[in-house]
Amino acid sequence: ERDDLTRRVEGCLRENAQLRERNQELEGEMSKAARRGKREEVSFEQEVRTWAGICVSEKLPKNGDFLLAYRDASGAPLEPRLIVDNKDKASVGEGDIRKLIRDAKERRSPVGIIFAREESQLRQHDRERRWGQEDGVWILRTTRQWLPRDLEVLKPLFERMRTEGPNFFQRNSALAQEVCRT
């Protein structure tokens, strides 16, 4: 009976050691994935800080990655503030869009930007409909290469959002259709 208990205890200790080793391997893999995502966010933040007329917040603790805003002549951020969510994965999915909408609502931001590193990470649907409204939030689907031009093109719309409110498109359906088509 004592030999049987000794064998069982040794088996449990062996299994415990294997589980610890496996846990350390998994922690290492998770750490690598987190660093890769963080590296993308840091390089994005550094790049945006070099753009004239745009300010970017520090990394947000939750509800998105960053807030972007245009600056006025004194350098103060203007409304609307745009919530940005960086994605560096195989494909941006519908769940990512839903999360961005939720985050934008929690931050009371009328515009959310889903930002993929490369065009291939956007689904065909996202490439065909890069700007549109979903659940009361305007969504821009863009890439690292496209974002500076997108912000330049959309700047007049953001200025009108600031003066007339984020729902000014509902009052001017022809303009809304033209912007979405463009």
Side-chain angles (χ1 to χ4, degrees), residues 2-181:
R2 193 183 321 176
D3 290 340
D4 185 41
L5 286 175
T6 303
R7 250 190 329 274
R8 287 174 55 191
V9 166
E10 288 173 352
C12 287
L13 291 174
R14 250 191 326 273
E15 184 179 349
N16 193 12
Q18 289 171 345
L19 289 173
R20 270 198 195 110
E21 187 177 315
R22 178 69 179 138
N23 190 28
Q24 287 175 343
E25 289 173 15
L26 290 173
E27 285 176 356
E29 292 299 315
M30 288 174 57
S31 175
K32 286 179 193 175
R35 281 194 306 269
R36 185 174 58 239
K38 298 271 189 238
R39 193 171 37 233
E40 178 65 24
E41 292 167 1
V42 168
S43 75
F44 169 77
E45 180 183 10
Q46 290 170 347
E47 182 178 336
V48 171
R49 290 195 189 283
T50 66
W51 298 347
I54 303 284
C55 65
V56 62
S57 70
E58 297 293 323
K59 171 75 172 96
L60 299 173
K62 63 180 186 172
N63 306 117
D65 292 334
F66 299 97
L67 290 174
L68 288 183
Y70 291 95
R71 296 177 196 230
D72 66 8
S74 70
L78 297 170
E79 294 295 328
R81 294 181 190 239
L82 320 170
I83 191 161
V84 177
D85 196 6
N86 278 299
K87 296 295 174 196
D88 187 13
K89 57 187 197 177
S91 178
V92 173
E94 193 59 34
D96 298 319
I97 302 293
R98 292 270 130 234
K99 180 183 174 294
L100 177 63
I101 291 168
R102 185 195 71 218
D103 292 347
K105 286 180 177 182
E106 288 182 18
R107 293 246 177 221
R108 292 182 175 79
S109 175
V111 179
I113 300 173
I114 194 105
F115 179 81
R117 185 172 185 177
E118 298 171 2
E119 182 180 350
S120 63
Q121 294 171 312
L122 293 174
R123 299 171 298 174
Q124 183 66 31
H125 167 77
D126 294 330
R127 286 185 290 234
E128 291 170 356
R129 188 168 175 253
R130 296 191 40 237
W131 172 253
Q133 189 177 38
E134 293 183 33
D135 294 337
V137 177
W138 287 95
I139 304 293
L140 174 63
R141 296 157 176 92
T142 192
T143 67
R144 186 172 214 114
Q145 182 180 1
W146 298 341
L147 184 59
R149 183 170 184 285
D150 289 341
L151 291 176
E152 182 182 318
V153 168
L154 293 172
K155 185 175 183 178
L157 300 175
F158 296 142
E159 288 173 359
R160 286 192 65 183
M161 272 185 187
R162 183 175 50 259
T163 59
E164 299 178 34
N167 61 352
F168 82 94
F169 275 130
Q170 283 77 2
R171 294 189 303 266
N172 189 339
S173 62
L175 176 63
Q177 290 173 352
E178 179 63 21
V179 170
C180 289
R181 185 189 66 75

